[in-house]
Amino acid sequence: MTPSYDIAVVGGGILGCATALRLSEGGMRAIVIERGDLGQGASGVNAGTLSLQIKRVKLMPYALEGHRRWAALGDAVGYRETGGYTLAFNEREANLLHERMALKAEAGAPIEFVAPSDLAKREPGLCQQVVAASWCAKDGYANSSLTGRYYRARLLAAQIPYREHSAVTAIEPFEQGFTLRTSHGEVSSRRLLLACGGWLQDVTKMLGVDLPVRARINTVSVTERGPRLVNTVVGHATGLLTLKQKANGTVLIGGGWQGQGSPREGRGRIDLGTLVPNLALAQYAVPGLRRLRILRSWTGFEANVPDFYPLAGALPGVPGAFVLGCVRGGYTIGPYISELMGDFILGREPERPLFDPARVFEATT
Ligand SMILES: Cc1cc2nc3c(=O)[nH]c(=O)nc-3n(C[C@H](O)[C@H](O)[C@H](O)COP(=O)(O)OP(=O)(O)OC[C@H]3O[C@@H](n4cnc5c(N)ncnc54)[C@H](O)[C@@H]3O)c2cc1C
């Protein structure tokens, strides 16, 4: 007999797993179905930066709540609150920095500006050519490679079944719900949550809905272990750099530089044309990096829609189906927006507004 649930969650990334936990707390029998290992997608390969300075203004209240949740998870996810600096190296960047950070501070982020002379004392490993800098004491990072392990343990503890290595290949609606065909048999459920990251468009198409989801192919690099160069998260006014040195001495470098490939191909590829400027900017910001070799660079898929706001709500035209994805900075915001999404599915009023997926069709008609 096909096992039946109140809700099937397709996608075992941070958004799928965290929402399943909320739904289960609310009394729903949920199952998580994941094509590979839990946390193998963006949630497990991202740069782990938890920075209010790189969040969009409208998402700031969600990011602040996300930070609170990461702080509560602590060592289990490698959480560190180090504070973070964002740097400008010329007047144009300084103007950009002041304009952006003032808006983010107004939205509630505890961001202040720091004189370059103070910066040199507080973080001596940074480049001496800084023209302006902002500081946020709440910034930090967690270890994304622990995402799968962490959520597997949470699902087990909450007795939420999950199926790994089970790709959903077809979804058929019927009167009381949905039948999902997977590479390891069928599952049926009354409701459905699609939380499949960069693969969202392919999966919603199984239900005849063509969401305009595109995937960015973000690049991250890690160096060999080295002596202490910086103690805080370092960013750049353009948003094209995030950098932090882990306790073991390795330095993780990101900034949203694009690789090649597509989710359909399965894996992205490094593009040397973007990797080299990413690393050059990192070395300019932290000159001591020139002494460290890059051990590995990799890519991951981050989904988005044209307005770069989340999709969080009912899937248009398919009663009983919901979608959660395309959350910019989704690692930071994930634990919180998943709670809101869970509440919405449970029929409760979420404490903050969600982001109705129907808008992406209205915007194009
Ligand atoms: C390289 C990179 C760096 C990033 N850095 C940061 C950062 O520093 N800070 C930050 O806040 N955010 C960062 N992000 C964004 C963040 O990682 C994502 O927003 C977040 O992880 C998205 O979570 P998700 O659950 O929606 O997607 P994912 O983690 O991708 O999960 C989706 C899951 O669905 C599964 N799936 C897909 N199709 C199917 C199917 N047919 N059947 C079953 N399962 C399926 C996939 O295998 C995958 O595991 C970064 C993203 C990338 C790619």
Side-chain angles (χ1 to χ4, degrees):
M1 214 179 93
T2 306
S4 184
Y5 298 88
D6 293 328
I7 186 157
V9 177
V10 183
I14 195 164
L15 299 183
C17 291
T19 310
L21 286 165
R22 186 68 159 193
L23 291 168
S24 167
E25 281 162 21
M28 272 192 191
R29 289 185 60 242
I31 181 170
V32 177
I33 305 173
E34 164 55 47
R35 197 178 53 168
D37 294 317
L38 294 179
Q40 76 158 30
S43 303
V45 301
N46 66 59
T49 312
L50 305 170
S51 168
L52 296 172
Q53 295 184 80
I54 53 175
K55 293 298 167 302
R56 297 185 79 185
V57 171
K58 192 171 161 188
L59 294 181
M60 197 58 76
Y62 303 81
L64 284 159
E65 289 296 339
H67 271 241
R68 282 192 197 109
R69 277 145 187 84
W70 282 107
L73 302 186
D75 284 344
V77 292
Y79 173 78
R80 299 284 178 276
E81 187 180 276
T82 58
Y85 290 104
T86 303
L87 314 177
F89 300 124
N90 57 43
E91 284 308 320
R92 192 186 53 81
E93 291 171 7
N95 291 339
L96 186 67
L97 185 76
H98 278 103
E99 199 180 300
R100 287 185 174 175
M101 296 304 163
L103 290 172
K104 291 174 202 228
E106 222 172 88
I111 296 173
E112 56 194 68
F113 294 97
V114 184
S117 52
D118 288 343
L119 179 69
K121 285 182 217 136
R122 285 156 70 164
E123 194 65 290
L126 293 178
C127 142
Q128 300 299 308
Q129 280 74 40
V130 173
V131 171
S134 57
W135 160 254
C136 179
K138 287 272 158 225
D139 286 354
Y141 61 85
N143 182 346
S144 71
S145 69
L146 297 176
T147 305
R149 193 169 88 181
Y150 173 76
Y151 278 105
R152 193 176 290 109
R154 291 280 313 270
L155 294 178
L156 272 172
Q159 299 187 321
I160 301 172
Y162 56 86
R163 285 195 186 173
E164 293 179 286
H165 303 281
S166 293
V168 171
T169 53
I171 306 175
E172 284 157 22
F174 65 97
E175 217 170 296
Q176 283 88 30
F178 302 90
T179 301
L180 290 85
R181 294 194 202 293
T182 83
S183 47
H184 286 91
E186 287 186 0
V187 170
S188 70
S189 63
R190 291 187 52 216
R191 299 174 195 78
L192 190 62
L193 172 64
L194 305 178
C196 351
W199 297 265
L200 206 47
Q201 189 181 40
D202 286 348
V203 179
T204 55
K205 270 189 185 166
M206 294 176 192
L207 287 160
V209 181
D210 191 5
L211 285 173
V213 176
R214 299 284 172 268
R216 285 171 57 80
I217 308 132
N218 295 345
T219 307
V220 183
S221 301
V222 66
T223 68
E224 63 185 332
R225 294 171 188 219
R228 180 96 346 231
L229 299 173
V230 283
N231 294 298
T232 56
V233 172
V234 179
H236 183 240
T238 56
L240 289 170
L241 177 68
T242 64
L243 175 161
K244 79 277 296 176
Q245 188 167 26
K246 298 294 191 77
N248 66 4
T250 59
V251 180
L252 210 60
I253 301 166
W257 293 75
Q258 296 298 285
Q260 296 173 0
S262 75
R264 252 172 233 161
E265 292 169 46
R267 270 171 185 270
R269 296 181 300 282
I270 293 298
D271 181 341
L272 281 180
T274 58
L275 181 67
V276 171
N278 183 192
L279 300 179
L281 181 58
Q283 286 186 345
Y284 188 76
V286 182
L289 268 175
R290 296 200 179 102
R291 296 193 296 275
L292 298 187
R293 288 170 298 181
I294 295 293
L295 279 190
R296 194 162 76 88
S297 299
W298 64 92
T299 58
F301 299 115
E302 182 182 27
N304 61 62
V305 280
D307 66 9
F308 289 98
Y309 284 112
L311 295 178
L315 183 67
V318 188
F322 301 87
V323 58
L324 179 58
C326 302
V327 185
R328 205 89 199 271
Y331 183 67
T332 310
I333 295 172
Y336 180 60
I337 200 164
S338 299
E339 287 178 17
L340 301 179
M341 187 72 208
D343 288 347
F344 180 69
I345 296 171
L346 288 163
R348 302 171 182 160
E349 180 70 27
E351 68 176 19
R352 278 205 172 73
L354 285 171
F355 296 82
D356 187 355
R359 76 177 189 281
V360 299
F361 295 112
E362 285 152 17
T364 52
T365 51

